[in-house]
Amino acid sequence: MNRCRRILAAALAAVMLLALTACGQSADTNNSAEQTVVRIGTPATGDHGARMLEAARVAAEKQYFEEELAKVGCRPEYVGFDGAGPAVNEAMISGDLDVAIYGDMPALVLASKFSGVTFIAMDNSAVQQGIVVQKDAGINSVEDLRGKRVIAETGTTCQKFLISLLESAGMTQDDVQQINATTANAQVEFAAGEVDAVVLPCMAAYRLIDEKGVGTMLAVAGNDERLDSQYVVSARNDFLEKNSDAAAAIIRALSRAQAFAAENPEEIYSLFADSNYSADVYRSVYSFDTSFSYFDPEITPVCVEKLKSLNDYALEKGLISSSVDIDAIVDTSYYQAAMGSNG
């Protein structure tokens, strides 16, 4: 009789354990299903699909987005676009994205033709461009570029960098022979010795120098706010109206990414390294300031002034048909809410 009771007790215990396990699994599934999906777009794609840029890449790789968004009942969904900025813009207009993290130029183009977005944070406030010159071209200063053949893709931040660099030396665009070419073609033409200099995003520039042994760096943007560009976090207004807490969570994740980068620069270089760019290339790109202060998500007055300068440039070059009211499109309240809840 005692043996029967023991068997029955064991059976009941097993049934209860299975029931509890099933309940736990059901709760986990329901929690996941109840989370609001935040669709975050990027123009970059990697081996595993969407790949965030700069501070956002750290936040994604370290799961900071997941952790912070989960606190407000959300989860991220990363969406990559091979069509770069224009494709991201189309998705933002159509409502296929909630948030876009990308370059200031395509973000500005979007804002010029679609009033339903707001800039809520920075992803990198000092994106670097550089000008690489041929080793035997006799170019040792910006003034030496006078009359030289220089590639800078028309209507891009690389061209804006070139114009600003020339102005810093009392020169104008007319003092050089500017040649238009895409980033990919520019590298080929420069490596073939067809031009004297080329302006490139710094990752491509340092890969030419460090890994291919071609050319030497004449100048980079560094901490000169006239020369660098920015990556911004742009969000749809209808998303912000319903999910202001999610916007703050995204900013908290970016702030954590900046803090991690400042404390672990070597890990950042290894984290970013892939088949296209080595850790050494990233080490060179970020060598101008290894505190990674430019990963801070705050939109500072300096950031705003740079956006205004870019707006003027884009309008002058016909890249946008109407001016953007930068003061109106920037909203720092989400950053303030994020940092307030941090401390």
Side-chain angles (χ1 to χ4, degrees), residues 143-160:
E143 290 83 354
D144 292 335
L145 290 171
R146 193 180 302 275
K148 300 295 186 180
R149 297 164 298 167
V150 182
I151 293 182
E153 186 172 2
T154 300
T156 66
T157 51
C158 283
Q159 184 189 41
K160 184 176 183 296

Side-chain angles (χ1 to χ4, degrees), residues 13-257:
V15 170
M16 291 177 66
L17 179 61
L18 286 171
L20 287 170
T21 302
C23 287
Q25 290 175 339
S26 176
D28 288 344
T29 301
N30 290 338
N31 287 340
S32 177
E34 290 169 2
Q35 286 182 320
T36 299
V37 175
V38 180
R39 299 162 300 174
I40 305 175
T42 172
T45 56
D47 297 335
H48 305 290
R51 186 182 65 194
M52 294 291 106
L53 301 165
E54 306 296 326
R57 187 168 178 185
V58 180
E61 296 282 354
K62 304 300 290 186
Q63 301 268 297
Y64 296 155
F65 283 135
E66 284 77 2
E67 292 171 7
E68 295 299 330
L69 284 168
K71 295 175 184 177
V72 295
C74 299
R75 60 185 174 88
E77 178 183 297
Y78 306 114
V79 186
F81 293 85
D82 288 325
V88 174
N89 285 347
E90 289 178 13
M92 286 289 281
I93 292 171
S94 68
D96 290 332
L97 287 176
D98 302 307
V99 176
I101 301 178
Y102 59 157
D104 51 5
M105 181 69 82
L108 187 71
V109 170
L110 173 63
S112 72
K113 59 184 179 181
F114 179 59
S115 61
V117 292
T118 296
F119 295 170
I120 64 170
M122 304 305 300
D123 181 41
N124 183 337
S125 60
V127 179
Q128 298 292 292
Q129 287 84 35
I131 181 165
V132 184
V133 299
Q134 300 287 1
K135 294 178 179 178
D136 58 355
I139 303 173
N140 301 305
S141 67
V142 176
E143 290 83 354
D144 292 335
L145 290 171
R146 193 180 302 275
K148 300 295 186 180
R149 297 164 298 167
V150 182
I151 293 182
E153 186 172 2
T154 300
T156 66
T157 51
C158 283
Q159 184 189 41
K160 184 176 183 296
F161 168 86
L162 175 62
I163 294 171
S164 298
L165 185 68
L166 292 171
E167 288 176 350
S168 71
M171 299 165 64
T172 71
Q173 197 173 354
D174 294 333
D175 289 318
V176 300
Q177 300 177 48
Q178 186 193 327
I179 299 168
N180 182 36
T182 64
T183 296
N185 290 338
Q187 294 176 73
V188 172
E189 292 180 28
F190 181 80
E194 297 176 10
V195 295
D196 302 299
V198 59
V199 180
L200 294 167
C202 261
M203 287 193 300
Y206 279 116
R207 183 171 62 175
L208 269 180
I209 297 169
D210 296 345
E211 297 184 356
K212 300 188 181 301
V214 178
T216 185
M217 188 71 78
L218 177 66
V220 297
N223 287 310
D224 190 334
E225 61 194 49
R226 299 169 301 172
L227 303 179
D228 57 27
S229 58
Q230 304 180 104
Y231 287 159
V232 303
V233 181
S234 176
R236 282 181 59 99
N237 293 341
D238 53 3
F239 167 79
L240 292 172
E241 289 169 4
K242 299 176 182 177
N243 302 280
S244 60
D245 53 352
I250 287 171
I251 293 171
R252 283 194 298 273
L254 293 172
S255 181
R256 289 176 63 187

